[in-house]
Amino acid sequence: MNATDTLYHSEATGLALRGRGKVRDIFDIDADHMLIVTTDRISAFDCILPDPIPGKGRVLTAVSNFWFGKLGHIVPNHLSGLALADILPDPAVRAPLEGRSVVVKKLRPLPVEAVVRGYLIGSGWKDYQATGAVCGIALPEGLRQAERLPNPIFTPSTKAEFGQHDQNIDFAQTEALLGPELAARVRDTSLKLYTEAAAYALERGIIIADTKFEFGLDAAGKLYLIDEALTPDSSRFWPVDQYQVGISPPSFDKQFVRDYLESLVWDKNPPAPHLPPEIIAKTAEKYREAQARLTQP
């Protein structure tokens, strides 16, 4: 493995750092464009772990770009069409960022995570057990954990500050945040994206149990898909051949990391513990497998 295979913190000489998230570093280019670098950082329980997952950033970038292209007929995305070399002409500066960076349009992000659920799992399962509904949407009685829903549902959440938890909200609260017309546009677009992506993924042996989208507006009020799309970080991917109603199926994402951390005596506050090499390797393998299944001809 060479030095460019793993990236924990990125630098982009000549560009001002706009901010570092759990996984992505964002740099200002000019008034209309930003550089987004997807690092190999991994977070769990809202803590950034000290050990990166080699190649994870490239997987997330490749999978997002695949979906941006495949679903572009539903909604435009934030990709500008500019290449990394257009922004960073020095090959030495560019090398660590190749394959994990995108030059995007600056848009106004909406203050809502657009979550779509096709299966009853996670916080949706907990809500259903308590109330028989998810985000105010009543569901049939007697559904079991991980069961496929009669139809996909739009279950948005607020976008929490760094280190805080997102909060599920109902559609009325979404309308209050976005306005009725934009809220309906976000909901309908999210459901279309999920439905088409889920059908495609199923043919490739992957169930997309749920996913979250982020959207932004340009100055004219046009809606764009931003951030990442339908990756193992923003979605719950299950292998079809291991899916079983009534249990939480294995997944193509942080499953091994979460399971390992749950086995430790750790209060889930920083600093997070280090990961053993075998957990890092297995997690990297599952990310690569998801990419191969989805994007290879």
Side-chain angles (χ1 to χ4, degrees):
M1 183 178 293
N2 61 52
T4 63
D5 284 334
T6 304
L7 186 71
Y8 195 83
H9 279 96
S10 66
E11 303 296 337
T13 304
L15 301 182
L17 178 67
R18 187 182 182 93
R20 295 192 197 274
K22 292 174 186 173
V23 175
R24 287 167 180 76
D25 297 340
I26 303 176
F27 299 87
D28 278 317
I29 296 172
D30 55 33
D32 299 315
H33 300 94
M34 301 184 303
L35 176 69
I36 298 180
V37 181
T38 305
T39 72
D40 295 326
R41 296 192 296 269
I42 189 167
S43 67
F45 308 111
D46 289 316
C47 289
I48 299 172
L49 305 187
D51 304 293
I53 304 298
K56 174 176 175 278
R58 288 196 173 91
V59 168
L60 297 181
T61 301
V63 171
S64 278
N65 288 346
F66 167 79
W67 288 117
F68 285 144
K70 188 169 186 60
L71 301 173
H73 62 284
I74 295 175
V75 62
N77 60 68
H78 66 169
L79 297 181
S80 67
L82 295 172
L84 185 61
D86 298 330
I87 308 304
L88 298 173
D90 185 340
V93 173
R94 202 166 63 240
L97 311 182
E98 291 282 9
R100 59 172 75 247
S101 304
V102 286
V103 181
V104 304
K105 302 168 186 173
K106 278 186 181 173
L107 301 162
R108 179 167 64 86
L110 300 182
V112 166
E113 300 271 12
V115 179
V116 179
R117 301 175 192 272
Y119 293 74
L120 195 55
I121 198 72
S123 64
W125 169 238
K126 292 178 183 176
D127 288 351
Y128 174 76
Q129 287 179 293
T131 68
V134 180
C135 290
I137 300 171
L139 295 174
E141 292 182 9
L143 296 179
R144 293 172 292 166
Q145 184 181 29
E147 190 159 352
R148 185 174 182 173
L149 298 172
N151 294 291
I153 56 174
F154 177 67
T155 59
S157 67
T158 58
K159 291 173 69 171
E161 294 297 320
F162 184 76
Q164 303 297 312
H165 293 285
D166 296 340
Q167 298 295 321
N168 291 347
I169 56 177
D170 61 22
F171 191 67
Q173 292 169 292
T174 308
E175 289 182 314
L177 285 169
L178 302 182
E181 188 275 333
L182 181 56
R185 217 180 343 152
V186 168
R187 176 196 62 201
D188 295 348
T189 302
S190 299
L191 288 168
K192 285 179 184 175
L193 290 168
Y194 172 82
T195 300
E196 183 164 326
Y200 170 85
L202 199 59
E203 297 173 354
R204 299 303 188 95
I206 291 178
I207 293 169
I208 304 179
D210 53 43
T211 194
K212 70 174 182 178
F213 300 109
E214 294 199 41
F215 294 95
L217 300 176
D218 65 11
K222 186 175 181 178
L223 189 70
Y224 289 82
L225 183 60
I226 65 171
D227 196 54
E228 62 182 318
L230 295 150
T231 71
D233 267 17
S234 66
S235 316
R236 211 181 303 257
F237 289 168
W238 295 334
V240 171
D241 58 2
Q242 297 179 59
Y243 169 66
Q244 189 177 334
V245 176
I247 63 168
S248 180
S251 60
F252 285 103
D253 54 10
K254 307 174 190 178
Q255 178 92 15
F256 296 98
V257 171
R258 290 195 194 98
D259 288 350
Y260 170 74
L261 293 173
E262 289 281 20
S263 74
L264 303 179
V265 178
W266 175 48
D267 64 2
K268 299 183 174 61
N269 288 309
H274 285 277
L275 298 175
E278 63 271 19
I279 297 295
I280 292 172
K282 190 67 175 177
T283 302
E285 179 188 321
K286 297 310 285 186
Y287 274 87
R288 291 193 300 271
E289 184 182 348
Q291 177 188 1
R293 286 202 191 195
L294 290 171
T295 66
Q296 289 181 3

mmCIF file with all atom_site columns, all heavy atoms in Angstrom, residues 10-26:
data_model
loop_
_atom_site.group_PDB
_atom_site.id
_atom_site.type_symbol
_atom_site.label_atom_id
_atom_site.label_alt_id
_atom_site.label_comp_id
_atom_site.label_asym_id
_atom_site.label_entity_id
_atom_site.label_seq_id
_atom_site.pdbx_PDB_ins_code
_atom_site.Cartn_x
_atom_site.Cartn_y
_atom_site.Cartn_z
_atom_site.occupancy
_atom_site.B_iso_or_equiv
_atom_site.pdbx_formal_charge
_atom_site.auth_seq_id
_atom_site.auth_comp_id
_atom_site.auth_asym_id
_atom_site.auth_atom_id
_atom_site.pdbx_PDB_model_num
ATOM 1   N N   . SER A 1 10 ? -6.966  15.952 4.776  1.00 0.00 ? 10 SER A N   1
ATOM 2   C CA  . SER A 1 10 ? -6.522  16.401 3.457  1.00 0.00 ? 10 SER A CA  1
ATOM 3   C C   . SER A 1 10 ? -6.041  17.841 3.510  1.00 0.00 ? 10 SER A C   1
ATOM 4   O O   . SER A 1 10 ? -6.450  18.627 4.369  1.00 0.00 ? 10 SER A O   1
ATOM 5   C CB  . SER A 1 10 ? -7.665  16.272 2.444  1.00 0.00 ? 10 SER A CB  1
ATOM 6   O OG  . SER A 1 10 ? -8.720  17.159 2.757  1.00 0.00 ? 10 SER A OG  1
ATOM 7   N N   . GLU A 1 11 ? -5.160  18.163 2.583  1.00 0.00 ? 11 GLU A N   1
ATOM 8   C CA  . GLU A 1 11 ? -4.691  19.535 2.380  1.00 0.00 ? 11 GLU A CA  1
ATOM 9   C C   . GLU A 1 11 ? -4.843  19.860 0.905  1.00 0.00 ? 11 GLU A C   1
ATOM 10  O O   . GLU A 1 11 ? -4.666  18.991 0.048  1.00 0.00 ? 11 GLU A O   1
ATOM 11  C CB  . GLU A 1 11 ? -3.222  19.676 2.804  1.00 0.00 ? 11 GLU A CB  1
ATOM 12  C CG  . GLU A 1 11 ? -2.926  19.285 4.248  1.00 0.00 ? 11 GLU A CG  1
ATOM 13  C CD  . GLU A 1 11 ? -3.607  20.175 5.270  1.00 0.00 ? 11 GLU A CD  1
ATOM 14  O OE1 . GLU A 1 11 ? -3.941  21.334 4.932  1.00 0.00 ? 11 GLU A OE1 1
ATOM 15  O OE2 . GLU A 1 11 ? -3.815  19.715 6.417  1.00 0.00 ? 11 GLU A OE2 1
ATOM 16  N N   . ALA A 1 12 ? -5.191  21.104 0.619  1.00 0.00 ? 12 ALA A N   1
ATOM 17  C CA  . ALA A 1 12 ? -5.299  21.557 -0.767 1.00 0.00 ? 12 ALA A CA  1
ATOM 18  C C   . ALA A 1 12 ? -4.599  22.910 -0.855 1.00 0.00 ? 12 ALA A C   1
ATOM 19  O O   . ALA A 1 12 ? -5.210  23.965 -0.649 1.00 0.00 ? 12 ALA A O   1
ATOM 20  C CB  . ALA A 1 12 ? -6.758  21.671 -1.189 1.00 0.00 ? 12 ALA A CB  1
ATOM 21  N N   . THR A 1 13 ? -3.308  22.848 -1.129 1.00 0.00 ? 13 THR A N   1
ATOM 22  C CA  . THR A 1 13 ? -2.476  24.055 -1.130 1.00 0.00 ? 13 THR A CA  1
ATOM 23  C C   . THR A 1 13 ? -3.065  25.127 -2.047 1.00 0.00 ? 13 THR A C   1
ATOM 24  O O   . THR A 1 13 ? -3.395  24.860 -3.204 1.00 0.00 ? 13 THR A O   1
ATOM 25  C CB  . THR A 1 13 ? -1.050  23.706 -1.592 1.00 0.00 ? 13 THR A CB  1
ATOM 26  O OG1 . THR A 1 13 ? -0.538  22.669 -0.750 1.00 0.00 ? 13 THR A OG1 1
ATOM 27  C CG2 . THR A 1 13 ? -0.138  24.919 -1.519 1.00 0.00 ? 13 THR A CG2 1
ATOM 28  N N   . GLY A 1 14 ? -3.221  26.318 -1.490 1.00 0.00 ? 14 GLY A N   1
ATOM 29  C CA  . GLY A 1 14 ? -3.762  27.431 -2.264 1.00 0.00 ? 14 GLY A CA  1
ATOM 30  C C   . GLY A 1 14 ? -5.248  27.646 -2.071 1.00 0.00 ? 14 GLY A C   1
ATOM 31  O O   . GLY A 1 14 ? -5.777  28.682 -2.482 1.00 0.00 ? 14 GLY A O   1
ATOM 32  N N   . LEU A 1 15 ? -5.928  26.676 -1.448 1.00 0.00 ? 15 LEU A N   1
ATOM 33  C CA  . LEU A 1 15 ? -7.367  26.813 -1.211 1.00 0.00 ? 15 LEU A CA  1
ATOM 34  C C   . LEU A 1 15 ? -7.626  26.950 0.290  1.00 0.00 ? 15 LEU A C   1
ATOM 35  O O   . LEU A 1 15 ? -6.960  26.322 1.106  1.00 0.00 ? 15 LEU A O   1
ATOM 36  C CB  . LEU A 1 15 ? -8.129  25.594 -1.743 1.00 0.00 ? 15 LEU A CB  1
ATOM 37  C CG  . LEU A 1 15 ? -7.990  25.280 -3.225 1.00 0.00 ? 15 LEU A CG  1
ATOM 38  C CD1 . LEU A 1 15 ? -8.859  24.075 -3.590 1.00 0.00 ? 15 LEU A CD1 1
ATOM 39  C CD2 . LEU A 1 15 ? -8.368  26.485 -4.082 1.00 0.00 ? 15 LEU A CD2 1
ATOM 40  N N   . ALA A 1 16 ? -8.603  27.769 0.638  1.00 0.00 ? 16 ALA A N   1
ATOM 41  C CA  . ALA A 1 16 ? -8.948  27.986 2.041  1.00 0.00 ? 16 ALA A CA  1
ATOM 42  C C   . ALA A 1 16 ? -9.850  26.854 2.534  1.00 0.00 ? 16 ALA A C   1
ATOM 43  O O   . ALA A 1 16 ? -10.813 26.480 1.859  1.00 0.00 ? 16 ALA A O   1
ATOM 44  C CB  . ALA A 1 16 ? -9.655  29.330 2.215  1.00 0.00 ? 16 ALA A CB  1
ATOM 45  N N   . LEU A 1 17 ? -9.525  26.316 3.699  1.00 0.00 ? 17 LEU A N   1
ATOM 46  C CA  . LEU A 1 17 ? -10.358 25.269 4.296  1.00 0.00 ? 17 LEU A CA  1
ATOM 47  C C   . LEU A 1 17 ? -11.661 25.883 4.779  1.00 0.00 ? 17 LEU A C   1
ATOM 48  O O   . LEU A 1 17 ? -11.669 26.808 5.582  1.00 0.00 ? 17 LEU A O   1
ATOM 49  C CB  . LEU A 1 17 ? -9.619  24.610 5.465  1.00 0.00 ? 17 LEU A CB  1
ATOM 50  C CG  . LEU A 1 17 ? -10.391 23.524 6.212  1.00 0.00 ? 17 LEU A CG  1
ATOM 51  C CD1 . LEU A 1 17 ? -10.611 22.303 5.337  1.00 0.00 ? 17 LEU A CD1 1
ATOM 52  C CD2 . LEU A 1 17 ? -9.649  23.145 7.494  1.00 0.00 ? 17 LEU A CD2 1
ATOM 53  N N   . ARG A 1 18 ? -12.767 25.326 4.291  1.00 0.00 ? 18 ARG A N   1
ATOM 54  C CA  . ARG A 1 18 ? -14.092 25.796 4.698  1.00 0.00 ? 18 ARG A CA  1
ATOM 55  C C   . ARG A 1 18 ? -14.570 25.062 5.951  1.00 0.00 ? 18 ARG A C   1
ATOM 56  O O   . ARG A 1 18 ? -15.258 25.613 6.795  1.00 0.00 ? 18 ARG A O   1
ATOM 57  C CB  . ARG A 1 18 ? -15.071 25.581 3.541  1.00 0.00 ? 18 ARG A CB  1
ATOM 58  C CG  . ARG A 1 18 ? -16.449 26.174 3.739  1.00 0.00 ? 18 ARG A CG  1
ATOM 59  C CD  . ARG A 1 18 ? -17.330 25.841 2.534  1.00 0.00 ? 18 ARG A CD  1
ATOM 60  N NE  . ARG A 1 18 ? -18.643 26.417 2.639  1.00 0.00 ? 18 ARG A NE  1
ATOM 61  C CZ  . ARG A 1 18 ? -18.998 27.586 2.139  1.00 0.00 ? 18 ARG A CZ  1
ATOM 62  N NH1 . ARG A 1 18 ? -18.100 28.322 1.493  1.00 0.00 ? 18 ARG A NH1 1
ATOM 63  N NH2 . ARG A 1 18 ? -20.226 28.044 2.274  1.00 0.00 ? 18 ARG A NH2 1
ATOM 64  N N   . GLY A 1 19 ? -14.200 23.793 6.063  1.00 0.00 ? 19 GLY A N   1
ATOM 65  C CA  . GLY A 1 19 ? -14.596 23.028 7.240  1.00 0.00 ? 19 GLY A CA  1
ATOM 66  C C   . GLY A 1 19 ? -14.267 21.558 7.070  1.00 0.00 ? 19 GLY A C   1
ATOM 67  O O   . GLY A 1 19 ? -14.067 21.069 5.957  1.00 0.00 ? 19 GLY A O   1
ATOM 68  N N   . ARG A 1 20 ? -14.189 20.856 8.209  1.00 0.00 ? 20 ARG A N   1
ATOM 69  C CA  . ARG A 1 20 ? -13.988 19.404 8.205  1.00 0.00 ? 20 ARG A CA  1
ATOM 70  C C   . ARG A 1 20 ? -15.175 18.764 8.903  1.00 0.00 ? 20 ARG A C   1
ATOM 71  O O   . ARG A 1 20 ? -15.489 19.107 10.044 1.00 0.00 ? 20 ARG A O   1
ATOM 72  C CB  . ARG A 1 20 ? -12.693 19.023 8.936  1.00 0.00 ? 20 ARG A CB  1
ATOM 73  C CG  . ARG A 1 20 ? -11.416 19.526 8.277  1.00 0.00 ? 20 ARG A CG  1
ATOM 74  C CD  . ARG A 1 20 ? -10.186 18.871 8.895  1.00 0.00 ? 20 ARG A CD  1
ATOM 75  N NE  . ARG A 1 20 ? -8.976  19.601 8.582  1.00 0.00 ? 20 ARG A NE  1
ATOM 76  C CZ  . ARG A 1 20 ? -8.258  19.431 7.477  1.00 0.00 ? 20 ARG A CZ  1
ATOM 77  N NH1 . ARG A 1 20 ? -8.654  18.552 6.575  1.00 0.00 ? 20 ARG A NH1 1
ATOM 78  N NH2 . ARG A 1 20 ? -7.156  20.130 7.268  1.00 0.00 ? 20 ARG A NH2 1
ATOM 79  N N   . GLY A 1 21 ? -15.839 17.837 8.211  1.00 0.00 ? 21 GLY A N   1
ATOM 80  C CA  . GLY A 1 21 ? -16.913 17.085 8.816  1.00 0.00 ? 21 GLY A CA  1
ATOM 81  C C   . GLY A 1 21 ? -16.395 15.772 9.364  1.00 0.00 ? 21 GLY A C   1
ATOM 82  O O   . GLY A 1 21 ? -15.191 15.599 9.571  1.00 0.00 ? 21 GLY A O   1
ATOM 83  N N   . LYS A 1 22 ? -17.300 14.842 9.600  1.00 0.00 ? 22 LYS A N   1
ATOM 84  C CA  . LYS A 1 22 ? -16.878 13.543 10.111 1.00 0.00 ? 22 LYS A CA  1
ATOM 85  C C   . LYS A 1 22 ? -16.009 12.816 9.090  1.00 0.00 ? 22 LYS A C   1
ATOM 86  O O   . LYS A 1 22 ? -15.064 12.120 9.445  1.00 0.00 ? 22 LYS A O   1
ATOM 87  C CB  . LYS A 1 22 ? -18.097 12.689 10.458 1.00 0.00 ? 22 LYS A CB  1
ATOM 88  C CG  . LYS A 1 22 ? -18.886 13.206 11.649 1.00 0.00 ? 22 LYS A CG  1
ATOM 89  C CD  . LYS A 1 22 ? -20.147 12.394 11.841 1.00 0.00 ? 22 LYS A CD  1
ATOM 90  C CE  . LYS A 1 22 ? -21.015 12.986 12.945 1.00 0.00 ? 22 LYS A CE  1
ATOM 91  N NZ  . LYS A 1 22 ? -22.320 12.325 13.042 1.00 0.00 ? 22 LYS A NZ  1
ATOM 92  N N   . VAL A 1 23 ? -16.344 12.982 7.809  1.00 0.00 ? 23 VAL A N   1
ATOM 93  C CA  . VAL A 1 23 ? -15.635 12.257 6.752  1.00 0.00 ? 23 VAL A CA  1
ATOM 94  C C   . VAL A 1 23 ? -15.064 13.198 5.704  1.00 0.00 ? 23 VAL A C   1
ATOM 95  O O   . VAL A 1 23 ? -13.975 12.979 5.201  1.00 0.00 ? 23 VAL A O   1
ATOM 96  C CB  . VAL A 1 23 ? -16.585 11.238 6.078  1.00 0.00 ? 23 VAL A CB  1
ATOM 97  C CG1 . VAL A 1 23 ? -15.924 10.559 4.892  1.00 0.00 ? 23 VAL A CG1 1
ATOM 98  C CG2 . VAL A 1 23 ? -17.064 10.196 7.092  1.00 0.00 ? 23 VAL A CG2 1
ATOM 99  N N   . ARG A 1 24 ? -15.773 14.285 5.397  1.00 0.00 ? 24 ARG A N   1
ATOM 100 C CA  . ARG A 1 24 ? -15.387 15.147 4.286  1.00 0.00 ? 24 ARG A CA  1
ATOM 101 C C   . ARG A 1 24 ? -14.703 16.432 4.731  1.00 0.00 ? 24 ARG A C   1
ATOM 102 O O   . ARG A 1 24 ? -15.080 17.022 5.745  1.00 0.00 ? 24 ARG A O   1
ATOM 103 C CB  . ARG A 1 24 ? -16.626 15.487 3.446  1.00 0.00 ? 24 ARG A CB  1
ATOM 104 C CG  . ARG A 1 24 ? -17.093 14.312 2.620  1.00 0.00 ? 24 ARG A CG  1
ATOM 105 C CD  . ARG A 1 24 ? -18.478 14.508 2.016  1.00 0.00 ? 24 ARG A CD  1
ATOM 106 N NE  . ARG A 1 24 ? -18.820 13.319 1.243  1.00 0.00 ? 24 ARG A NE  1
ATOM 107 C CZ  . ARG A 1 24 ? -19.200 12.166 1.784  1.00 0.00 ? 24 ARG A CZ  1
ATOM 108 N NH1 . ARG A 1 24 ? -19.320 12.059 3.095  1.00 0.00 ? 24 ARG A NH1 1
ATOM 109 N NH2 . ARG A 1 24 ? -19.455 11.124 1.030  1.00 0.00 ? 24 ARG A NH2 1
ATOM 110 N N   . ASP A 1 25 ? -13.713 16.845 3.930  1.00 0.00 ? 25 ASP A N   1
ATOM 111 C CA  . ASP A 1 25 ? -13.069 18.145 4.078  1.00 0.00 ? 25 ASP A CA  1
ATOM 112 C C   . ASP A 1 25 ? -13.520 19.016 2.912  1.00 0.00 ? 25 ASP A C   1
ATOM 113 O O   . ASP A 1 25 ? -13.550 18.551 1.757  1.00 0.00 ? 25 ASP A O   1
ATOM 114 C CB  . ASP A 1 25 ? -11.548 18.006 4.064  1.00 0.00 ? 25 ASP A CB  1
ATOM 115 C CG  . ASP A 1 25 ? -11.016 17.177 5.230  1.00 0.00 ? 25 ASP A CG  1
ATOM 116 O OD1 . ASP A 1 25 ? -11.742 17.028 6.230  1.00 0.00 ? 25 ASP A OD1 1
ATOM 117 O OD2 . ASP A 1 25 ? -9.879  16.687 5.124  1.00 0.00 ? 25 ASP A OD2 1
ATOM 118 N N   . ILE A 1 26 ? -13.856 20.263 3.194  1.00 0.00 ? 26 ILE A N   1
ATOM 119 C CA  . ILE A 1 26 ? -14.397 21.148 2.166  1.00 0.00 ? 26 ILE A CA  1
ATOM 120 C C   . ILE A 1 26 ? -13.518 22.390 2.062  1.00 0.00 ? 26 ILE A C   1
ATOM 121 O O   . ILE A 1 26 ? -13.189 23.020 3.077  1.00 0.00 ? 26 ILE A O   1
ATOM 122 C CB  . ILE A 1 26 ? -15.856 21.546 2.477  1.00 0.00 ? 26 ILE A CB  1
ATOM 123 C CG1 . ILE A 1 26 ? -16.724 20.294 2.620  1.00 0.00 ? 26 ILE A CG1 1
ATOM 124 C CG2 . ILE A 1 26 ? -16.412 22.455 1.379  1.00 0.00 ? 26 ILE A CG2 1
ATOM 125 C CD1 . ILE A 1 26 ? -18.155 20.577 3.020  1.00 0.00 ? 26 ILE A CD1 1
#
